[in-house]
Coordinates of all heavy atoms in Angstrom, one line a residue:
S1 N 80.7 71.4 102.2 CA 81.3 70.1 101.8 C 80.4 69.4 100.8 O 79.2 69.3 101.2 CB 81.7 69.4 103.0 OG 82.2 68.1 102.6
T2 N 81.0 68.8 99.9 CA 80.1 67.9 99.1 C 80.6 66.4 99.3 O 80.3 65.5 98.6 CB 80.3 68.1 97.5 OG1 81.6 68.1 97.2 CG2 79.7 69.5 97.2
Y3 N 81.3 66.4 100.4 CA 82.1 65.1 100.8 C 81.5 64.6 102.0 O 82.0 64.7 103.2 CB 83.6 65.5 101.0 CG 84.6 64.5 100.9 CD1 85.0 64.1 99.5 CD2 85.0 63.9 101.9 CE1 86.1 63.3 99.4 CE2 86.1 62.9 101.8 CZ 86.5 62.6 100.5 OH 87.5 61.8 100.3
K4 N 80.4 63.7 101.9 CA 79.7 63.2 103.1 C 79.9 61.8 103.2 O 80.9 61.2 103.1 CB 78.2 63.7 103.1 CG 78.1 65.2 103.3 CD 78.4 65.6 104.6 CE 78.2 67.0 104.8 NZ 78.8 67.6 106.1
T5 N 78.6 61.1 103.4 CA 78.7 59.6 103.6 C 79.4 58.8 102.5 O 80.3 58.0 102.8 CB 77.2 59.1 104.0 OG1 76.5 59.4 102.9 CG2 76.8 59.8 105.2
N6 N 78.8 58.9 101.4 CA 79.2 58.2 100.1 C 80.4 59.1 99.6 O 80.0 60.1 98.9 CB 78.1 57.9 99.3 CG 78.7 57.0 98.1 OD1 80.0 57.1 97.7 ND2 77.9 56.4 97.4
R7 N 81.6 58.9 99.6 CA 82.7 59.6 99.2 C 82.6 60.4 97.8 O 82.9 61.6 97.8 CB 83.9 58.7 99.3 CG 85.3 59.6 99.2 CD 86.4 58.6 99.4 NE 87.5 59.2 98.8 CZ 88.8 58.9 99.1 NH1 89.0 57.9 100.0 NH2 89.7 59.4 98.4
Y8 N 82.1 59.7 96.9 CA 82.0 60.3 95.5 C 80.6 60.6 95.2 O 80.4 61.1 93.9 CB 82.7 59.4 94.5 CG 84.1 59.3 94.8 CD1 84.6 58.0 95.2 CD2 85.0 60.3 94.9 CE1 85.9 57.8 95.6 CE2 86.3 60.1 95.3 CZ 86.7 58.9 95.5 OH 88.1 58.6 95.9
K9 N 79.5 60.3 95.9 CA 78.2 60.4 95.6 C 77.8 61.9 95.2 O 77.0 62.2 94.2 CB 77.3 59.9 96.7 CG 75.8 60.0 96.3 CD 74.9 59.5 97.4 CE 73.5 59.6 97.1 NZ 72.7 59.0 98.2
L10 N 78.5 62.8 96.0 CA 78.1 64.2 95.9 C 79.1 65.0 95.0 O 79.1 66.2 95.1 CB 77.9 64.9 97.2 CG 76.7 64.3 97.9 CD1 76.6 64.8 99.4 CD2 75.4 64.5 97.3
S11 N 80.1 64.3 94.3 CA 81.1 64.9 93.6 C 80.2 65.7 92.4 O 79.2 65.2 92.0 CB 82.0 64.1 93.0 OG 82.8 63.4 94.0
F12 N 80.9 66.7 91.8 CA 80.3 67.3 90.6 C 81.3 67.4 89.6 O 82.6 67.4 89.8 CB 79.6 68.6 90.9 CG 80.4 69.6 91.4 CD1 80.9 70.5 90.5 CD2 80.8 69.8 92.7 CE1 81.8 71.6 90.9 CE2 81.6 70.8 93.2 CZ 82.1 71.7 92.2
V13 N 80.9 67.4 88.3 CA 81.7 67.5 87.2 C 81.5 69.0 86.6 O 80.5 69.4 86.4 CB 81.2 66.4 86.1 CG1 82.1 66.6 84.9 CG2 81.3 65.0 86.7
F14 N 82.8 69.3 86.1 CA 82.7 70.7 85.5 C 83.8 70.8 84.4 O 84.8 70.1 84.5 CB 82.8 71.8 86.5 CG 84.1 72.0 87.2 CD1 85.0 72.8 86.7 CD2 84.3 71.1 88.3 CE1 86.3 73.0 87.4 CE2 85.5 71.4 89.0 CZ 86.5 72.3 88.5
F15 N 83.7 71.6 83.5 CA 84.8 71.9 82.5 C 85.5 73.2 83.0 O 84.9 74.2 83.3 CB 84.2 72.2 81.1 CG 83.4 71.0 80.4 CD1 82.1 70.9 80.6 CD2 84.1 70.0 79.9 CE1 81.5 69.8 79.9 CE2 83.6 69.0 79.4 CZ 82.3 68.9 79.3
I16 N 86.9 73.0 83.1 CA 87.7 74.1 83.4 C 87.5 75.3 82.5 O 87.4 75.1 81.3 CB 89.2 73.7 83.4 CG1 89.4 72.7 84.6 CG2 90.1 74.9 83.6 CD1 90.8 72.1 84.7
G17 N 87.3 76.5 83.0 CA 87.1 77.7 82.2 C 85.8 77.9 81.7 O 85.5 79.0 81.1
S18 N 84.8 77.0 82.2 CA 83.4 77.2 81.6 C 82.7 78.2 82.5 O 81.6 78.7 82.1 CB 82.7 75.8 81.9 OG 82.5 75.4 83.2
G19 N 83.2 78.6 83.8 CA 82.4 79.6 84.5 C 81.3 78.9 85.5 O 80.5 79.6 86.2
K20 N 81.3 77.5 85.4 CA 80.2 76.9 86.2 C 80.7 77.0 87.7 O 79.9 77.1 88.6 CB 80.1 75.4 85.8 CG 79.0 74.7 86.6 CD 78.9 73.3 86.2 CE 77.9 72.6 87.1 NZ 77.8 71.1 86.9
V21 N 82.0 76.8 88.0 CA 82.5 76.9 89.5 C 83.1 78.3 89.6 O 83.4 79.0 88.7 CB 83.4 75.9 89.7 CG1 82.9 74.4 89.6 CG2 84.8 76.0 88.8
I22 N 83.2 78.6 90.9 CA 83.9 79.8 91.2 C 85.4 79.8 90.8 O 86.0 78.8 90.6 CB 83.7 80.2 92.7 CG1 84.4 79.1 93.7 CG2 82.3 80.4 93.2 CD1 84.4 79.4 95.0
A23 N 85.8 81.1 90.5 CA 87.2 81.1 89.9 C 88.2 80.5 90.7 O 89.2 80.0 90.1 CB 87.5 82.6 89.6
G24 N 88.2 80.6 92.1 CA 89.2 80.1 92.9 C 89.3 78.6 92.8 O 90.3 78.0 92.8
I25 N 88.2 77.9 92.6 CA 88.2 76.4 92.4 C 88.8 76.1 91.1 O 89.6 75.2 91.0 CB 86.8 75.9 92.4 CG1 86.1 76.0 93.8 CG2 86.7 74.2 92.0 CD1 86.5 75.1 94.9
D26 N 88.4 76.9 90.0 CA 88.9 76.6 88.7 C 90.5 76.9 88.7 O 91.1 76.0 88.1 CB 88.4 77.7 87.8 CG 88.2 77.3 86.3 OD1 88.1 76.1 86.0 OD2 88.3 78.2 85.4
V27 N 91.1 77.8 89.3 CA 92.4 78.1 89.3 C 93.1 77.0 90.2 O 94.1 76.6 89.7 CB 92.6 79.5 90.0 CG1 94.2 79.7 90.3 CG2 92.2 80.7 89.1
A28 N 92.6 76.7 91.2 CA 93.2 75.5 92.1 C 93.3 74.3 91.4 O 94.3 73.5 91.3 CB 92.5 75.4 93.4
V29 N 92.2 73.7 90.7 CA 92.1 72.5 90.0 C 93.2 72.5 88.8 O 93.7 71.4 88.6 CB 90.8 72.1 89.7 CG1 90.7 71.0 88.7 CG2 89.9 71.9 90.9
R30 N 93.4 73.6 88.2 CA 94.2 73.6 86.9 C 95.7 72.9 87.3 O 96.4 72.4 86.5 CB 94.4 75.0 86.4 CG 93.3 75.4 85.7 CD 93.4 77.0 85.1 NE 92.1 77.4 84.7 CZ 91.8 77.5 83.5 NH1 92.7 77.2 82.5 NH2 90.7 78.1 83.2
S31 N 96.2 73.3 88.5 CA 97.4 72.9 88.9 C 97.6 71.5 89.7 O 98.6 71.3 90.2 CB 98.1 74.1 89.7 OG 97.5 74.4 90.9
M32 N 96.4 71.0 89.9 CA 96.4 69.8 90.7 C 96.6 68.5 89.8 O 96.2 68.6 88.6 CB 95.0 69.6 91.4 CG 94.7 70.6 92.6 SD 93.3 70.5 93.4 CE 93.4 68.9 94.2
K33 N 97.0 67.4 90.4 CA 97.1 66.0 89.8 C 95.9 65.3 90.3 O 95.5 65.3 91.4 CB 98.4 65.5 90.0 CG 99.6 66.2 89.4 CD 100.9 65.4 89.7 CE 102.0 66.3 89.1 NZ 103.3 65.6 89.4
E34 N 95.6 64.4 89.5 CA 94.4 63.4 89.7 C 94.7 62.6 91.0 O 96.0 62.2 91.2 CB 94.3 62.3 88.6 CG 92.9 61.6 88.7 CD 92.7 60.8 87.4 OE1 92.6 61.5 86.3 OE2 92.7 59.6 87.6
G35 N 94.0 62.7 92.0 CA 94.0 62.0 93.3 C 94.7 63.0 94.4 O 94.8 62.6 95.6
G36 N 95.0 64.3 93.9 CA 95.5 65.2 94.8 C 94.4 65.7 95.8 O 93.2 65.9 95.4
I37 N 95.0 66.3 96.9 CA 94.0 67.0 97.8 C 94.7 68.3 98.2 O 95.8 68.3 98.4 CB 93.9 66.1 99.2 CG1 93.2 64.8 98.8 CG2 93.0 66.9 100.2 CD1 93.0 63.9 100.0
R38 N 93.9 69.3 98.2 CA 94.4 70.8 98.5 C 93.4 71.6 99.2 O 92.3 71.4 99.0 CB 94.7 71.4 97.1 CG 95.3 72.9 97.2 CD 95.6 73.3 96.0 NE 96.7 72.6 95.4 CZ 97.2 72.7 94.2 NH1 96.6 73.5 93.3 NH2 98.3 72.0 93.7
R39 N 93.9 72.2 100.2 CA 93.2 73.3 100.9 C 93.4 74.6 100.2 O 94.6 75.1 100.1 CB 93.5 73.3 102.5 CG 92.7 74.5 103.2 CD 92.7 74.4 104.6 NE 91.8 73.3 104.9 CZ 91.7 72.7 106.1 NH1 92.5 73.3 107.1 NH2 90.9 71.8 106.4
V40 N 92.2 75.3 99.9 CA 92.2 76.4 99.1 C 91.6 77.6 99.9 O 90.4 77.4 100.2 CB 91.6 76.3 97.8 CG1 91.7 77.4 96.9 CG2 92.1 75.0 97.0
I41 N 92.3 78.7 100.1 CA 91.7 79.9 100.6 C 91.4 80.8 99.4 O 92.2 81.3 98.9 CB 92.6 80.5 101.7 CG1 92.8 79.5 102.8 CG2 92.0 81.8 102.2 CD1 93.8 79.9 103.7
I42 N 90.1 81.2 99.2 CA 89.6 81.8 98.1 C 89.2 83.2 98.5 O 88.2 83.4 99.3 CB 88.5 81.2 97.4 CG1 89.0 79.6 97.0 CG2 88.0 81.9 96.2 CD1 88.0 78.8 96.4
P43 N 89.9 84.3 98.0 CA 89.4 85.7 98.3 C 88.1 86.0 97.7 O 87.8 85.4 96.6 CB 90.6 86.6 97.9 CG 91.2 85.7 96.7 CD 90.9 84.2 97.2
P44 N 87.4 87.0 98.1 CA 86.1 87.4 97.6 C 86.2 87.7 96.0 O 85.3 87.2 95.3 CB 85.7 88.7 98.3 CG 86.4 88.6 99.6 CD 87.8 87.9 99.3
S45 N 87.2 88.1 95.5 CA 87.4 88.4 94.1 C 87.4 87.2 93.2 O 87.2 87.1 92.1 CB 88.6 89.2 93.7 OG 89.8 88.6 94.2
F46 N 87.7 86.0 93.7 CA 87.8 84.6 93.2 C 86.6 83.7 93.6 O 86.6 82.6 93.4 CB 89.1 84.0 93.3 CG 90.1 84.6 92.5 CD1 90.8 85.7 92.7 CD2 90.5 83.9 91.3 CE1 91.8 86.2 92.0 CE2 91.5 84.3 90.5 CZ 92.1 85.5 90.8
G47 N 85.7 84.4 94.4 CA 84.6 83.6 95.0 C 83.3 83.7 94.2 O 83.4 83.9 92.9
Y48 N 82.1 83.6 94.8 CA 81.0 83.7 94.1 C 80.5 85.1 93.6 O 80.6 86.0 94.4 CB 79.8 83.3 95.2 CG 79.9 81.8 95.6 CD1 80.5 81.5 96.8 CD2 79.4 80.9 94.8 CE1 80.6 80.2 97.2 CE2 79.4 79.5 95.3 CZ 80.0 79.2 96.5 OH 80.1 77.9 96.8
Q49 N 80.4 85.1 92.3 CA 80.1 86.4 91.7 C 78.7 86.5 91.3 O 78.1 87.5 91.1 CB 81.0 86.7 90.4 CG 82.4 86.7 90.8 CD 82.9 87.7 91.7 OE1 82.5 88.9 91.6 NE2 83.6 87.3 92.8
N50 N 78.0 85.3 91.2 CA 76.6 85.3 90.9 C 76.0 83.9 91.5 O 76.8 83.1 91.9 CB 76.3 85.3 89.4 CG 77.0 84.3 88.7 OD1 76.6 83.0 88.8 ND2 77.8 84.4 87.7
T51 N 74.7 83.8 91.5 CA 74.1 82.6 92.1 C 74.0 81.4 91.4 O 73.6 80.4 91.8 CB 72.6 83.1 92.6 OG1 71.9 83.5 91.5 CG2 72.7 84.2 93.6
S52 N 74.6 81.4 90.1 CA 74.5 80.1 89.4 C 75.7 79.3 89.5 O 76.0 78.2 89.0 CB 74.3 80.5 87.9 OG 75.5 81.1 87.4
Q53 N 76.8 79.8 90.2 CA 78.1 79.1 90.4 C 78.2 78.1 91.4 O 77.5 78.0 92.5 CB 79.3 80.2 90.7 CG 79.5 81.1 89.4 CD 80.5 82.1 89.7 OE1 80.4 82.8 90.7 NE2 81.4 82.2 89.0
E54 N 78.8 77.0 91.2 CA 79.1 75.9 92.2 C 80.4 76.0 92.9 O 81.1 76.8 92.4 CB 79.2 74.5 91.3 CG 77.9 74.2 90.5 CD 76.8 73.7 91.4 OE1 77.1 73.3 92.5 OE2 75.6 73.7 90.9
P55 N 80.6 75.4 93.9 CA 79.9 74.3 94.6 C 79.0 75.1 95.6 O 79.2 76.1 96.1 CB 80.9 73.5 95.3 CG 82.0 74.4 95.6 CD 82.0 75.4 94.4
I56 N 77.8 74.4 95.7 CA 76.9 75.0 96.9 C 76.9 74.1 98.0 O 76.6 72.9 97.8 CB 75.4 75.0 96.3 CG1 75.4 75.9 95.0 CG2 74.5 75.5 97.2 CD1 75.7 77.4 95.3
P57 N 77.3 74.5 99.1 CA 77.3 73.6 100.3 C 75.9 73.0 100.6 O 74.9 73.7 100.3 CB 77.8 74.4 101.4 CG 78.5 75.6 100.9 CD 77.7 75.8 99.5
P58 N 75.8 71.8 101.1 CA 74.5 71.2 101.2 C 73.6 71.8 102.4 O 72.4 71.7 102.4 CB 74.9 69.7 101.6 CG 76.3 69.8 102.0 CD 76.9 71.0 101.4
N59 N 74.3 72.6 103.3 CA 73.5 73.1 104.4 C 72.8 74.4 103.9 O 72.0 75.1 104.7 CB 74.3 73.4 105.6 CG 75.3 74.3 105.4 OD1 76.0 74.3 104.3 ND2 75.9 75.0 106.4
F60 N 72.9 74.9 102.7 CA 72.3 76.0 102.2 C 71.1 75.5 101.3 O 71.3 74.7 100.5 CB 73.2 76.9 101.3 CG 74.1 77.8 102.2 CD1 75.3 77.3 102.5 CD2 73.7 78.9 102.7 CE1 76.3 78.0 103.3 CE2 74.5 79.7 103.6 CZ 75.7 79.2 103.8
F61 N 69.8 76.0 101.7 CA 68.7 75.4 100.9 C 68.6 75.9 99.6 O 67.8 75.4 98.7 CB 67.4 75.5 101.8 CG 67.0 76.9 102.2 CD1 66.3 77.6 101.2 CD2 67.4 77.5 103.3 CE1 65.9 79.0 101.6 CE2 66.9 78.8 103.7 CZ 66.2 79.5 102.7
D62 N 69.2 77.1 99.2 CA 69.1 77.5 97.9 C 70.3 78.5 97.5 O 70.9 78.9 98.4 CB 67.7 78.2 97.5 CG 67.5 79.4 98.3 OD1 68.5 80.1 98.8 OD2 66.3 79.8 98.4
R63 N 70.4 78.7 96.3 CA 71.5 79.5 95.8 C 71.4 81.1 96.4 O 72.5 81.6 96.7 CB 71.6 79.6 94.4 CG 72.0 78.1 93.7 CD 71.9 78.2 92.3 NE 71.9 76.8 91.8 CZ 73.1 76.3 91.4 NH1 74.3 77.0 91.7 NH2 73.2 75.1 91.1
Q64 N 70.1 81.5 96.4 CA 70.0 82.9 96.7 C 70.4 83.2 98.2 O 71.0 84.2 98.7 CB 68.5 83.4 96.5 CG 68.3 84.8 96.8 CD 69.2 85.8 95.9 OE1 69.4 85.5 94.8 NE2 69.9 86.7 96.5
R65 N 70.1 82.1 99.0 CA 70.5 82.2 100.6 C 72.0 82.3 100.6 O 72.6 83.0 101.5 CB 69.9 81.0 101.3 CG 70.2 81.1 102.8 CD 69.6 80.1 103.6 NE 70.0 80.1 104.9 CZ 70.2 79.0 105.7 NH1 69.9 77.9 105.2 NH2 70.7 79.1 106.9
L66 N 72.7 81.5 99.9 CA 74.2 81.4 99.9 C 74.7 82.9 99.5 O 75.5 83.4 100.1 CB 74.7 80.4 99.0 CG 76.3 80.4 98.8 CD1 76.9 80.0 100.1 CD2 76.6 79.4 97.8
F67 N 74.2 83.4 98.4 CA 74.6 84.7 97.9 C 74.3 85.7 98.9 O 75.2 86.5 99.1 CB 73.7 84.9 96.6 CG 74.5 86.0 95.6 CD1 75.6 85.8 95.1 CD2 73.8 87.2 95.4 CE1 76.2 86.8 94.3 CE2 74.3 88.2 94.6 CZ 75.4 87.9 94.0
T68 N 73.2 85.6 99.6 CA 72.8 86.7 100.5 C 73.8 86.6 101.7 O 74.1 87.7 102.4 CB 71.4 86.6 101.0 OG1 70.6 86.7 99.8 CG2 70.9 87.6 102.0
T69 N 74.1 85.3 102.1 CA 74.9 85.2 103.3 C 76.4 85.7 103.0 O 77.0 86.4 103.8 CB 75.1 83.7 103.7 OG1 73.7 83.3 104.0 CG2 76.0 83.4 104.8
I70 N 76.9 85.4 101.9 CA 78.2 85.9 101.5 C 78.4 87.5 101.4 O 79.3 88.1 101.7 CB 78.8 85.1 100.3 CG1 79.1 83.7 100.6 CG2 80.0 85.9 99.7 CD1 79.3 82.8 99.5
F71 N 77.3 88.0 100.7 CA 77.4 89.5 100.5 C 76.4 90.1 101.4 O 75.6 90.9 101.0 CB 77.1 89.7 99.0 CG 78.0 89.2 98.0 CD1 77.7 87.9 97.4 CD2 79.2 89.6 97.9 CE1 78.6 87.3 96.6 CE2 80.2 89.1 97.1 CZ 79.8 88.0 96.3
N72 N 76.5 89.9 102.8 CA 75.6 90.3 103.7 C 75.7 91.9 103.7 O 76.6 92.5 104.1 CB 76.0 89.7 105.1 CG 75.1 90.2 106.2 OD1 74.8 91.3 106.4 ND2 74.5 89.2 106.9
P73 N 74.6 92.6 103.5 CA 74.7 94.1 103.5 C 75.0 94.7 104.8 O 75.7 95.7 104.9 CB 73.2 94.4 103.1 CG 72.5 93.3 102.6 CD 73.2 92.2 103.1
T74 N 74.6 94.2 105.9 CA 75.0 94.6 107.2 C 76.4 94.6 107.5 O 77.0 95.5 108.0 CB 74.1 93.9 108.3 OG1 72.8 94.0 108.1 CG2 74.4 94.4 109.8
R75 N 77.0 93.5 107.2 CA 78.6 93.4 107.3 C 79.2 94.3 106.5 O 80.2 94.9 106.8 CB 79.0 91.9 107.0 CG 78.5 90.9 108.2 CD 78.8 89.6 107.9 NE 80.3 89.4 107.8 CZ 80.8 88.3 107.3 NH1 80.2 87.3 106.9 NH2 82.2 88.1 107.3
L76 N 78.7 94.5 105.2 CA 79.3 95.5 104.2 C 79.2 97.0 104.8 O 80.2 97.7 104.8 CB 78.6 95.5 103.0 CG 79.0 94.4 102.1 CD1 78.0 94.2 100.8 CD2 80.4 94.3 101.6
A77 N 78.1 97.3 105.4 CA 77.9 98.6 106.0 C 78.8 98.8 107.2 O 79.2 99.9 107.5 CB 76.5 98.8 106.5
N78 N 79.2 97.7 107.9 CA 80.1 97.7 109.0 C 81.6 97.7 108.6 O 82.4 97.4 109.5 CB 79.7 96.7 110.0 CG 78.5 96.9 110.7 OD1 77.9 98.0 110.9 ND2 77.8 95.7 111.2
E79 N 81.8 97.9 107.4 CA 83.1 97.8 106.8 C 83.9 96.6 107.0 O 85.1 96.5 107.2 CB 83.9 99.1 107.2 CG 83.3 100.3 106.9 CD 84.1 101.6 107.3 OE1 85.3 101.4 107.8 OE2 83.7 102.7 107.3
E80 N 83.2 95.4 107.0 CA 83.7 94.1 107.0 C 84.0 93.5 105.7 O 84.2 92.3 105.6 CB 82.9 93.2 107.9 CG 82.7 93.6 109.3 CD 81.7 92.8 110.1 OE1 81.8 91.5 109.8 OE2 81.0 93.1 110.9
G81 N 83.9 94.3 104.6 CA 84.1 93.8 103.2 C 85.3 93.1 103.0 O 85.4 92.3 102.0
S82 N 86.5 93.4 103.6 CA 87.8 92.8 103.4 C 87.8 91.3 103.7 O 88.5 90.5 103.1 CB 88.9 93.5 104.1 OG 88.8 93.3 105.5
I83 N 86.9 90.9 104.6 CA 86.8 89.5 105.0 C 85.5 88.8 104.4 O 85.4 87.6 104.5 CB 86.9 89.2 106.5 CG1 85.6 90.0 107.2 CG2 88.2 89.6 107.1 CD1 85.5 89.5 108.6
L84 N 84.7 89.6 103.9 CA 83.3 89.1 103.4 C 83.5 88.2 102.3 O 84.1 88.6 101.2 CB 82.6 90.4 103.1 CG 81.0 90.1 102.9 CD1 80.4 89.5 104.1 CD2 80.4 91.4 102.4
G85 N 83.1 87.1 102.3 CA 83.1 86.3 101.1 C 84.4 85.3 101.0 O 84.5 84.8 100.0
T86 N 85.3 85.5 102.0 CA 86.5 84.7 101.9 C 86.0 83.2 102.2 O 85.4 83.0 103.1 CB 87.6 85.1 102.9 OG1 88.0 86.4 102.7 CG2 88.8 84.2 102.9
L87 N 86.5 82.3 101.3 CA 86.1 80.9 101.3 C 87.2 80.0 101.6 O 88.3 80.2 101.2 CB 85.3 80.5 100.1 CG 84.3 81.5 99.6 CD1 83.8 81.2 98.2 CD2 83.0 81.2 100.6
I88 N 87.0 78.9 102.3 CA 88.0 77.8 102.4 C 87.4 76.5 102.0 O 86.4 76.2 102.4 CB 88.5 77.7 103.9 CG1 89.0 79.0 104.4 CG2 89.5 76.5 104.1 CD1 89.4 79.0 105.8
F89 N 88.0 75.9 101.0 CA 87.6 74.6 100.5 C 88.8 73.6 100.7 O 89.9 74.0 100.4 CB 87.2 74.7 99.1 CG 85.9 75.4 98.7 CD1 85.9 76.7 98.5 CD2 84.7 74.6 98.9 CE1 84.6 77.3 98.2 CE2 83.5 75.2 98.6 CZ 83.5 76.5 98.3
D90 N 88.5 72.3 100.9 CA 89.3 71.3 100.8 C 88.9 70.6 99.5 O 87.6 70.1 99.4 CB 89.3 70.3 101.9 CG 89.9 70.9 103.3 OD1 90.9 71.7 103.2 OD2 89.4 70.7 104.3
I91 N 89.7 70.4 98.6 CA 89.5 69.9 97.2 C 90.2 68.5 97.1 O 91.4 68.5 97.2 CB 89.8 70.9 96.1 CG1 89.0 72.2 96.3 CG2 89.5 70.2 94.7 CD1 89.6 73.3 95.2
E92 N 89.5 67.6 96.7 CA 90.1 66.3 96.1 C 89.8 66.1 94.7 O 88.6 66.2 94.3 CB 89.7 65.1 96.9 CG 90.4 63.8 96.4 CD 90.0 62.7 97.2 OE1 89.1 62.6 98.0 OE2 90.5 61.6 96.9
L93 N 90.8 66.0 93.8 CA 90.6 65.9 92.3 C 90.6 64.5 92.1 O 91.5 63.7 92.2 CB 91.7 66.5 91.5 CG 91.4 66.5 90.1 CD1 90.2 67.3 89.7 CD2 92.7 67.2 89.3
V94 N 89.3 64.0 91.9 CA 89.0 62.6 91.7 C 89.5 62.0 90.3 O 89.9 61.0 90.1 CB 87.4 62.2 92.0 CG1 87.2 60.7 91.8 CG2 87.2 62.7 93.3
N95 N 89.1 62.8 89.3 CA 89.2 62.3 87.9 C 89.4 63.4 86.9 O 88.7 64.5 87.2 CB 88.1 61.4 87.5 CG 88.2 60.6 86.3 OD1 89.0 61.0 85.5 ND2 87.5 59.6 86.0
V96 N 90.2 63.2 86.0 CA 90.5 64.2 85.0 C 90.1 63.6 83.6 O 90.6 62.5 83.3 CB 91.8 64.8 84.9 CG1 92.0 65.7 83.8 CG2 92.2 65.5 86.2
R97 N 89.3 64.2 82.9 CA 89.1 63.7 81.5 C 89.5 64.8 80.5 O 89.1 65.9 80.7 CB 87.6 63.4 81.3 CG 87.1 62.2 82.0 CD 85.7 61.9 81.7 NE 85.1 61.0 82.6 CZ 83.9 60.8 82.8 NH1 83.0 61.5 82.2 NH2 83.5 59.9 83.7
H98 N 90.2 64.5 79.4 CA 90.5 65.4 78.4 C 89.7 65.1 77.2 O 89.6 64.0 76.7 CB 92.0 65.2 78.0 CG 93.0 65.4 79.1 ND1 93.3 66.7 79.6 CD2 93.6 64.6 80.1 CE1 94.2 66.6 80.6 NE2 94.2 65.4 80.9
L99 N 89.0 66.2 76.7 CA 88.1 66.0 75.6 C 88.8 66.5 74.4 O 89.7 67.3 74.3 CB 86.9 67.0 75.8 CG 86.1 66.5 77.0 CD1 84.9 67.4 77.2 CD2 85.6 65.0 76.8

């Protein structure tokens, strides 16, 4: 969650289609209206594909740790790949700017 004590302090800005956020967030936000809130279940194919993508939960101390946790080789070896990397986000679209 980027939604802690100060409601908008940890929000982040991104351009739709830029690849800065994971694809599942990009797809969800495209159909949202400003002020809307949505719970999104993101399958691995729309999740983290590399360590440069946002959002990064604050309890992960770095991007590599997040990437290693989601793509855990032990879980993959135990054939848990179908659930590996499934993400759940609650998204609030605070503001939309058209450039």
